[in-house]
Amino acid sequence: MGIKKLSMVSAFSENQLIIEKKCPDDKIVALAGNPNVGKSTLFNNLTGLNQHTGNWPGKTVTNAQGRFLHKGKGFILVDLPGIYSLMANSVEEEVARDFICFGDPDATVIVADATCLERNLNLVLQTLEITNNAILCVNLLDEAKNKKINIDLKELAKQLGIPVVGTCARDGRGLNELMDEVYNLAMKKPSKAGYIIKYDKPIEEAISILEPSIKKVIGDYNSRWVALKLLDGDKTLINSINQFLKKDILEEIEIAEKMQLAREVLINSGIDNNLFRDKVVSRIVMRAEEISRKAVSYENELYNLRDRKIDRIITSKGFGIPIMLVLLGFVFWLTIIGANYPSQLLSDGLFWLEGRLYRLLTAINFPAALKSLLVEGVYRTLAWVISVMLPPMAIFFPLFSLLEDLGYLPRVAFNLDNFFKKACAHGKQALTMCMGFGCNAAGVVGCRIIDSPRERLIAIITNTFVPCNGRFPTLITTIAIFFAGYFSGALRSLVSAFLLTMLIVFSVVMTLLLSRILSKTILKGLPSSFTLELPPYRKPQIGKVITRSIFDRTLFVLGRAVIVAAPAGLIIWLMANITIGDASILSYCARFLDPPARLIGLDGYILTAFILGFPANEIVIPIIIMSYMSQGSLMELENLYQLGELLRNNGWTWLTAVCFVIFSLMHWPCGTTFLTIKKETQSWKWTIISFLVPAITGTLVCFVITTAVRLLRIV
Amino acid sequence: MERNIFPLNYLPLGKKARVRDLISSGSTRRRMLDLGIISNTEVEALQKSPSGDPVAYRIRGAVIALRSEEASQILVEEI
């Protein structure tokens, strides 16, 4: 019985993938490959699921599974994280390796980028050392053709000894053939992994000493590879094997003895542990080079010239950062001006519906208190959240996805890495911050692309410093009322966009500052190695970008906001409508919080609104309006002017606005993000720290500003 | 003949070099090996980021950005 054939009952690894079969004889197909090779696009095209894809390394941070039918047979396709190697340098690599090795897939499809085949072959060869049940899918053939790169698929198949299929996943070319090969392979009996790579003589000798004893424990199937890894001393694999076998493989007497012998052979040849790994990796890399030389030919050696020319501009000393700021500003500007009209329309529509709903409930003699609770509490909060959030998200997310698809985002990380290095953080944190602009919870999940734990924690804790889509409307409204209100027409939206961009820059500066403070205090340690791939630029699929970002991101984030907003509406309504003595619970809270709130430039109502806004940040302003108007339900005002008047009449000055904006940038993560942090860090300690760090920072900054301004008497 | 071996971060933009030795250890070394940086690998310095660090290199057909800390641990010989 081989490792692969042992039943997978309990978790052998905390990162184990759980496979849900629809039908007991469904075949399992693992989808492996380097990051950014079109794996997710392939997955979507095969399964029809909308797995989000993106043009940056390490996008598949969670695993997607989907089912497809071919020739009447069901296949479960498991999208593994994009990785460069199976040497288990990161959690993703471990997950992928363990699944290929122990997950019992009936076939493994390795997706490779035709424009960069040699590099991809590294993973292909490593996979083939584990299993022969594999198919190589050479994707992006159209791009290779454009770059005049010719790939001899037959030669590849001959060299690798597995079926090779050329595809172009974006338009679906080659997918049928791929499914045919998957079908054929999955129906076949698995065979023993072959000698895809032959190592130096002492290594081969050591393997031949050790392998027979391993065969006795785990069977024939991939004993050679396990022997190689035991000699390598790969601890993560040994752990996985031990958890899988439920015993310590190195304590098997025979294996221990043979290990000793094999080690002696190696040491006698002067091969220590480090050299062993070097030799193994070098051999694989050299074999990849050899295969690539035989199967790939370039008609034009300068096939990447266009990309280099673009890079020379957008990552240049003079233009790199200005271009980035202008692009960011442009995205915000489009979001702000584009969202106004649909937002108004939606809000009109939803409030019209509210009137109808109210009348309908009145007509059927619905109890008055309950009616008010449902309509003015729950429904109105929902309507507010949707009309405020949906339009900007529906504009922001597609624009963002477009930049992502183009391949621009890794360049942002490249441009900004030096700042992150100074903050002892990782350049990829720039990417997780970008995701945070959409939704902080998404940003926190995205932190998995950072492979060292220390830098990943820094990125998670500081992610809420960048404002998410739920907070943008708050920021934009406040800017428009208090700072851009002196301008009119097109100038006003330009000034708004400029101020917003500056605010973003401020939030980035704070992120870097806090990252540095964290890495000098509770997260001490040396920066880990930094490597970042700059993938080729790709023409984005505009139609797909729009549908995908609306369905995957916009509706997803909105759905989550709605789920938290409904109960929040209920609680807020109750707090505002249940009175004790002469005032509502809400007023009591506000009165209680007023003295501390004044110290940080706010007032009791604003602070209460932030606390009640924990489930969803977008309801902060509605709660403030509601409280000021002493209404029992969330209010919307006709226009910004009225809102401005209301705020000013309630004692808002520019200082209140500044503190309000800063506090909204830095208080605590919203409920969803909070729970996501818990899930990602698996630790209450880090979750609470992630709560406290922005809360304390925001409070301190507001306190300092308020105190300074009041001492200088400039307000 | 004396050979001119120097750390990769001194390679001028647009120039190519061959890897002669990797002096990093542990996880950094593994990461470099994963990128296919072994003895005799050809690398080309392509592009500096706005602040001069990291630098993008062409390594086996891929464009990889390395910080000076990592690049300084790769010894190369210009070709």
Side-chain angles (χ1 to χ4, degrees), chain A residues 271-279, chain B residues 25-26 29 33:
Chain A
I271 301 176
D272 63 9
N273 264 2
N274 280 334
L275 193 59
F276 183 86
R277 163 110 26 149
D278 276 22
K279 279 183 175 293
Chain B
S25 58
R29 188 184 186 88
L33 291 172

Side-chain angles (χ1 to χ4, degrees), chain A residues 376-590:
Chain A
E376 286 165 358
V378 178
Y379 179 85
R380 197 175 280 183
T381 313
L382 279 178
W384 182 284
V385 168
I386 292 171
S387 59
V388 169
M389 273 187 89
L390 183 59
M393 281 201 307
I395 298 171
F396 179 84
F397 279 140
L399 286 175
F400 187 76
S401 303
L402 220 57
L403 290 180
E404 195 181 316
D405 256 36
L406 273 167
Y408 182 66
L409 295 186
R411 270 77 185 178
V412 172
F414 181 62
N415 280 343
L416 294 178
D417 179 62
N418 206 25
F419 298 111
F420 286 94
K421 187 165 104 179
K422 293 212 173 92
C424 306
H426 200 290
K428 283 186 193 162
Q429 194 175 330
L431 303 183
T432 63
M433 283 165 69
C434 285
M435 289 190 231
F437 286 131
C439 167
N440 290 127
V444 167
V445 177
C447 289
R448 293 191 199 169
I449 62 173
I450 299 170
D451 43 39
S452 70
R454 193 187 73 90
E455 278 95 337
R456 186 184 305 169
L457 267 176
I458 291 177
I460 289 178
I461 295 172
T462 56
N463 195 273
T464 42
F465 281 88
V466 296
C468 64
N469 244 300
R471 287 183 277 166
F472 273 122
T474 310
L475 301 177
I476 294 164
T477 311
T478 319
I479 288 174
I481 293 174
F482 285 90
F483 305 103
Y486 307 106
F487 305 91
S488 60
L491 198 60
R492 180 182 289 182
S493 54
L494 274 180
V495 171
S496 289
F498 173 75
L499 287 175
L500 188 62
T501 309
M502 286 302 106
L503 213 54
I504 306 282
V505 172
F506 172 72
S507 72
V508 172
V509 170
M510 287 309 290
T511 306
L512 290 169
L513 185 70
L514 261 294
S515 298
R516 187 168 168 88
I517 293 174
L518 283 172
S519 64
K520 292 290 172 209
T521 52
I522 48 176
L523 280 165
K524 264 190 213 149
L526 290 173
S528 68
S529 65
F530 169 84
T531 58
L532 173 78
E533 182 170 7
L534 303 179
Y537 289 100
R538 295 211 171 118
K539 202 175 77 196
Q541 304 154 281
I542 295 176
K544 270 198 180 160
V545 161
I546 292 172
T547 46
R548 207 178 60 205
S549 47
I550 288 188
F551 286 104
D552 293 4
R553 287 185 160 169
T554 311
L555 292 185
F556 176 72
V557 173
L558 191 71
R560 225 164 26 189
V562 164
I563 289 168
V564 283
L570 187 83
I571 292 170
I572 293 163
W573 188 90
L574 290 174
M575 283 183 73
N577 287 283
I578 297 176
T579 49
I580 302 168
D582 60 333
S584 63
I585 301 181
L586 190 68
S587 309
Y588 276 112
C589 280

Side-chain angles (χ1 to χ4, degrees), chain B residues 14-79:
Chain B
K15 298 281 182 198
K16 291 179 182 174
R18 278 191 192 284
V19 175
R20 287 294 166 239
D21 202 3
L22 266 182
I23 51 179
S24 52
S25 58
S27 69
T28 309
R29 188 184 186 88
R30 287 209 300 276
R31 215 143 260 301
M32 298 302 123
L33 291 172
D34 271 352
L35 294 173
I37 303 176
I38 59 168
S39 201
N40 236 2
T41 302
E42 186 183 303
V43 288
E44 180 186 352
L46 291 177
Q47 175 72 38
K48 278 187 179 161
S49 70
S51 50
D53 186 28
V55 174
Y57 299 94
R58 187 198 315 282
I59 300 165
R60 297 185 181 276
V63 180
I64 312 284
L66 299 176
R67 285 179 179 171
S68 57
E69 281 81 353
E70 277 80 44
S72 66
Q73 300 195 325
I74 301 170
L75 300 183
V76 297
E77 185 183 353
E78 201 177 320
I79 44 175

Side-chain angles (χ1 to χ4, degrees), chain A residues 144-145 147-150 296-303:
Chain A
K145 209 175 152 198
K147 294 182 171 176
K148 303 217 180 320
I149 303 171
N150 298 320
V296 185
S297 58
Y298 302 89
E299 280 174 41
N300 175 9
E301 284 294 329
L302 295 171
Y303 60 91

Side-chain angles (χ1 to χ4, degrees), chain A residues 3 11-12 102 217-218 230 235-252:
Chain A
I3 283 194
F12 53 77
F102 311 112
V217 181
I218 65 161
L230 287 187
K235 289 200 181 67
T236 67
L237 180 78
I238 295 172
N239 278 338
S240 292
I241 295 178
N242 290 346
Q243 284 178 31
F244 189 78
L245 293 174
K246 298 193 178 56
K247 61 183 171 192
D248 191 342
I249 187 165
L250 292 175
E251 277 183 4
E252 295 287 306

Side-chain angles (χ1 to χ4, degrees), chain A residues 212-233:
Chain A
S213 60
I214 291 173
K215 257 184 207 169
K216 286 183 195 159
V217 181
I218 65 161
D220 196 32
Y221 189 74
N222 39 24
S223 49
R224 177 181 158 87
W225 179 73
V226 171
L228 190 70
K229 293 289 137 183
L230 287 187
L231 289 169
D232 180 294

